[in-house]
Amino acid sequence: MTADADADDTFWLRSPLGAMGSLREWLLDPGSLTARLKAVCADFEVRVLRQARTRASRDEAYLLGLPAGRSLMARDVLLVSGSAPLIFAHSVLRADDVHGAWRAIASMGTRPLGAALFADPRIRRGPLRYRKLRDGHPLYCAAAAVLGQTLPPLWARRSIFELQGAPLLVTEAFLPALSGRWHTSLCKS
């Protein structure tokens, strides 16, 4: 992310101020969230909710170097353990890049994006940014709609992955089953 992008990224912080304990550790982990979940959670799976063109929000467009409202390719998934949704993940890239550097995304299906991102040494990850999502934020609203319930504020993190000069913005919102309950009935010890 460039210095100019930092100026338009004011609601996303360099540190998850106020996040405590195990949740903070999960938020700060620079590795693959998918790999960490697979290692500790039984019956891990990816549920694809949407993979389609959409209009760019102002901050997403800015971070991807596009004008607001431009068409993007979006992929929304739930990372689930058993029947418990743990993470709502939202990934966006420039629509043209789905036929270029990021063409593998079009055929990912239920395979975890995180596994592909961390397996390719050509892919570079930018710094993580953090935010507490509240009612009214588009990603909070999308997660609440998928779960069919009102949610407490959700901690989220995001970063830009770059391949051959093409950015991919990945945002991960930590759902109550993961961020609120750290017990053995959800995840293995």
Side-chain angles (χ1 to χ4, degrees):
M1 185 179 341
T2 67
D4 288 341
D6 279 343
D8 199 55
D9 209 20
T10 55
F11 295 110
W12 290 85
L13 307 172
R14 294 175 190 267
S15 176
L17 300 173
M20 304 295 212
S22 296
L23 173 60
R24 183 176 178 82
E25 292 173 24
W26 280 77
L27 286 163
L28 291 171
D29 187 337
S32 168
L33 183 58
T34 300
R36 188 169 180 188
L37 287 169
K38 286 175 117 176
V40 299
C41 294
D43 304 325
F44 175 84
E45 68 174 293
V46 175
R47 291 186 190 157
V48 179
L49 304 170
R50 171 181 75 144
Q51 185 162 319
R53 285 184 180 248
T54 189
R55 295 281 169 216
S57 69
R58 182 178 174 268
D59 72 326
E60 290 174 341
Y62 189 84
L63 292 173
L64 296 176
L66 296 170
R70 183 65 63 90
S71 180
L72 295 177
M73 180 60 71
R75 174 180 161 96
D76 293 340
V77 302
L78 281 178
L79 304 182
V80 179
S81 177
S83 63
L86 307 174
I87 302 289
F88 174 79
H90 173 75
S91 305
V92 291
L93 63 145
R94 297 181 300 217
D96 293 344
D97 290 338
V98 79
H99 302 294
W102 295 107
R103 66 185 158 275
I105 289 178
S107 60
M108 296 243 17
T110 59
R111 290 179 309 199
L113 177 59
L117 293 175
F118 285 91
D120 189 333
R122 300 172 301 155
I123 297 173
R124 299 285 176 241
R125 184 183 202 176
L128 286 164
R129 296 288 187 260
Y130 308 90
R131 181 173 181 181
K132 205 168 210 181
L133 304 178
R134 299 178 188 284
D135 189 17
H137 189 280
L139 295 180
Y140 173 95
C141 293
V146 165
L147 297 181
Q149 64 189 56
T150 302
L151 299 171
L154 303 174
W155 272 105
R157 69 182 198 171
R158 74 179 185 183
S159 60
I160 293 177
F161 291 84
E162 191 171 307
L163 175 62
Q164 300 170 358
L168 167 69
L169 177 62
V170 176
T171 305
E172 300 153 328
F174 290 65
L175 300 173
L178 183 64
S179 63
R181 292 186 222 126
W182 303 91
H183 54 75
T184 56
S185 66
L186 175 63
C187 297
K188 295 184 263 184
S189 53

